[in-house]
Amino acid sequence: MQITLETLRAIVGPAHVLTGDDVHSRRVDWMTGAPCQAGAIVRPADTEQVAAVMRACHAVQQPIVTHGGLTGLVHGAEASPDELVISLERLTAIEEIDQVGGTLTVQAGAPLQRVQEAAKEVGLQFPLDLGARGSCTIGGNIATNAGGVRVIRYGMMRQQVLGLEAVMADGRVVSSMNHMLKNNAGFDLKQLFIGSEGTLGIVTRAVLRLQPPTPCEQTAMVACPSFEALTGLLSHMGKALGGGLGAFEVMWQNHYRLLTETLGRHTPPIATEHPFYVIIDSLGSDAKRNATQFSEALESALESELIVDAVIAQSSTQRDGLWAIREDIEGLVKGLAPVLTFDVSLPIADMQRYTNALEAQLTQRWADAKLVVFGHLGDGNLHISVSVGSGDPEVRREVEAMIYQPLAALGGSVSAEHGIGLEKRPWLSTCRSSAEIELMHTLKQALDPLNLLNRGKVLQETL
Amino acid sequence: MQITLETLRAIVGPAHVLTGDDVHSRRVDWMTGAPCQAGAIVRPADTEQVAAVMRACHAVQQPIVTHGGLTGLVHGAEASPDELVISLERLTAIEEIDQVGGTLTVQAGAPLQRVQEAAKEVGLQFPLDLGARGSCTIGGNIATNAGGVRVIRYGMMRQQVLGLEAVMADGRVVSSMNHMLKNNAGFDLKQLFIGSEGTLGIVTRAVLRLQPPTPCEQTAMVACPSFEALTGLLSHMGKALGGGLGAFEVMWQNHYRLLTETLGRHTPPIATEHPFYVIIDSLGSDAKRNATQFSEALESALESELIVDAVIAQSSTQRDGLWAIREDIEGLVKGLAPVLTFDVSLPIADMQRYTNALEAQLTQRWADAKLVVFGHLGDGNLHISVSVGSGDPEVRREVEAMIYQPLAALGGSVSAEHGIGLEKRPWLSTCRSSAEIELMHTLKQALDPLNLLNRGKVLQETL
């Protein structure tokens, strides 16, 4: 490292500069358990200390990697021995909640779930939700523009952020802590830092938008007889529930069957012979009205043969049971080990052709290949899991090519919600033109000319 | 001008290079009717011609101003005799509608209303809506991040844009025509061009997100007995209507009374003695359910004394009659002539204190000053109209100071939805820190180093 531990200790105190085993015992990738290789980890107490660390790093050209909850899936938090990790784990305060304005001001290291709970305590909600809610942080959610299961209703993290504060590569603090829903006074600077994976600045605080509560939740699992019926159902439920459609999570038969019948991890609530299964949430404020509207919408879907079977959860236990199948990532990983996982988006209309062609290609190459597909259909987002008996890098690259290359012609994306990090960097040009990538480099050069911030993530170091 | 008319004619053809009266007969400001002063207007036919014009301009350092529908309110379309106007009036094609994916691909010069109608024709909706819908263009909506009356439900223009194409200052085309709801493959470049008022690039095409239709609309006008009741009502309706609250447009008594009683332009549907009036829209898909939910929500608001009177529109004619009061900008301009108009945002909780203090200050300075306030309360956005008997620049500056300076302490904004343009540029630093403005200059310098694009708008030419 270019920076000395003494310099860091002088800024944050000796207890907050970690080295050796305290660094290596941290896992930067929860799928592989890979240890952190950074030269040191520094834990600033607040924005001022983050800025002071960054000024010191800038002075000696010390590259840094910012750490949040380490729940990312694309190796965006990896660090080499010559890199310093700045962990925001001490910046966890929820600073202010404005009930009338519906805003929550928070430090970047606060876990998502704490923000959800704090909003609930004042009778509002913070709607972003994903499986890692207990450990992922608001700063990480911002840096990766997190998605999750409520995007169809509330949008991604980008839509939840009203303002933020960031420390730039030279240690300057840009505080853009807007609380207004509408603010067209100049360029919307926060957009630079949302979804750029820590490469343009370190997000230290944010103002989040809260939403009115939707205390009444109806959940059903349904079976669809065909892909046409599935897309028809999405359109039907969108219309029938008005603004109330809160989730539309599809499981291909290969996913549903694996986690119920094959592995026996869940009792199938509906027989396993149908091609598609959907978990549908309806969010409302009036229990009776919500229930009536929901069951009427499902009945008319049955009548028009968009669905062939349906189970409506009658209790929160039943609801959790239905969602448990969809959220059983552990079962998926175990059942398909060694599993290769992917997160892509593509036009909904092309999805069936795409997954069929992929399966054919996989099984032609590896006779016992397994493909499992689920995802946020309404968002055009599929999570694809593949098992071909090996997790070797060259095998993975071959599977990546099968999955990513067809997306170019479809106008899809190699990353719907996980980001690029290191893992998808070689594939960025599959879905971004050279003009786009050039403009990304222009931004990186303008904001981080010494290339100190999360070096080599998202973009190659040189064009 | 640096560029010759011959060069321009060679690119777009002689019929599409306008000079003299053809230039001066265009009004760049619909409030003042100020004529266009540009050296010439060029009308390219497509992106390629825009790029060719821009390459030619770049070669000779010719500054340009982009024109859309010319409905802006902050002098963002003004051009001097040494500037060339690039008008996108020939780029009006709706290129594609994807009904399943819910997207619409359009050229930047298409009027908003045509896009709304095209979406409706395929059973979907494009929800952005504002008074200028017939003349404002999609490109202008993007460049200014337009707001309007549906923001509370669907967000501003930024949220409606999935992808776009822009011509850069040097004539390069950056095509980022993403159709995906979720795409985290690298930096989200479109954000640079949304809301930057043509200073970072020329938006030529866009992919817009369509929404499920909400064919059933309930509209009421209600009277609130106090500001506390008004904010209580906003919260109550948000909860009671679930996702269905489609508009919450507040008129201060001074606005309501002016347009009904004082000017006699509208018959008051409710007596004029109450302090606040609200137009509330509920959007739904089931007529009966929507009507029941809406009237129940209003009844319970009456019971808890959040409102003291209410009129629910029983027909679309009645609905239009209620909205006509709110949308009667012509009446406002005539009734207050010479009128000074402002568009600000501030925390909802501070609004009453702010407008009371403003009124006191105005009438202390000008005994017969009139203040009229209305706006999108749920968005924190007020439109303020002031009449002090003069529209002279120095008088305007004095009123601006009264309106803008208090916003700094409140964390408000000098522009909620109209943008900065030239008009608000002196006030940008009231609500943006020097670090923020510096970063805006960094972006401008990185993307338009020769300062050719809408020069001097939003940002001063030098720091």
Side-chain angles (χ1 to χ4, degrees), chain B residues 80-258:
Chain B
S80 61
D82 59 345
E83 288 180 308
L84 171 70
V85 161
I86 300 182
S87 169
L88 301 186
E89 64 199 79
R90 292 172 69 204
L91 278 73
T92 58
I94 293 176
E95 298 181 341
E96 192 199 352
I97 300 184
D98 174 354
Q99 274 185 268
V100 177
T103 64
L104 184 150
T105 307
V106 64
Q107 291 183 320
L112 170 59
Q113 192 169 346
R114 279 207 37 227
V115 169
Q116 292 174 335
E117 287 164 359
K120 203 169 178 183
E121 276 164 26
V122 299
L124 294 166
Q125 69 168 323
F126 183 66
L128 190 91
D129 195 28
L130 53 151
R133 64 185 73 83
S135 16
C136 67
T137 64
I138 291 298
N141 297 152
I142 293 174
T144 60
N145 187 28
V149 297
R150 289 284 182 250
V151 172
I152 198 169
R153 168 74 181 270
Y154 293 103
M156 298 179 80
M157 188 63 175
R158 191 179 295 280
Q159 259 114 291
Q160 325 305 327
V161 181
L162 293 174
L164 57 75
E165 177 183 82
V167 173
M168 308 294 294
D170 59 4
R172 268 179 308 160
V173 178
V174 176
S175 186
S176 202
M177 293 289 278
N178 169 61
H179 283 63
M180 300 294 100
L181 291 188
K182 282 167 142 176
N183 190 343
N184 274 346
F187 307 163
D188 191 2
L189 299 172
K190 66 176 176 283
Q191 307 296 346
L192 287 168
F193 305 102
I194 303 172
S196 52
E197 304 183 37
T199 61
L200 299 180
I202 303 170
V203 176
T204 47
R205 291 162 72 220
V207 183
L208 305 177
R209 180 181 185 180
L210 302 180
Q211 298 285 348
T214 48
C216 311
E217 189 162 340
Q218 291 281 323
T219 299
M221 181 181 285
V222 304
C224 282
S226 68
F227 190 77
E228 291 62 43
L230 182 64
T231 59
L233 179 68
L234 173 63
S235 165
H236 167 75
M237 295 306 288
K239 284 176 198 161
L241 300 181
L245 182 59
F248 193 90
E249 297 286 304
V250 177
M251 297 172 273
W252 265 235
Q253 187 193 62
N254 49 35
H255 179 265
Y256 184 73
R257 209 174 253 185
L258 175 75

Side-chain angles (χ1 to χ4, degrees), chain A residues 74-75 393 396-397 400-401 404-405 414 419-432 437 456-461, chain B residues 185:
Chain A
V74 292
H75 310 294
R396 184 176 168 96
R397 269 193 295 278
E400 282 176 347
Y404 294 143
Q405 274 166 356
V414 301
I420 295 294
L422 282 179
E423 185 183 292
K424 300 190 178 186
R425 202 184 61 179
W427 298 100
L428 185 61
S429 58
T430 308
C431 60
R432 293 294 194 200
I437 293 172
K457 310 287 167 56
V458 186
L459 298 173
Q460 306 271 1
E461 294 190 36

Side-chain angles (χ1 to χ4, degrees), chain A residues 187 439 442, chain B residues 54 58 61-64 167-172 193 198-201 440-457 461:
Chain A
F187 307 164
L439 182 51
T442 301
Chain B
M54 205 58 233
H58 188 257
Q61 304 210 16
Q62 170 61 51
I64 69 100
V167 173
M168 308 294 294
D170 59 4
R172 268 179 308 160
F193 305 102
T199 61
L200 299 180
M440 292 180 203
H441 278 279
T442 301
L443 287 175
K444 175 72 173 171
Q445 175 65 28
L447 268 66
D448 181 18
L450 299 180
N451 193 19
L452 300 180
L453 303 172
N454 223 2
R455 185 175 276 190
K457 311 287 166 54
E461 295 192 36

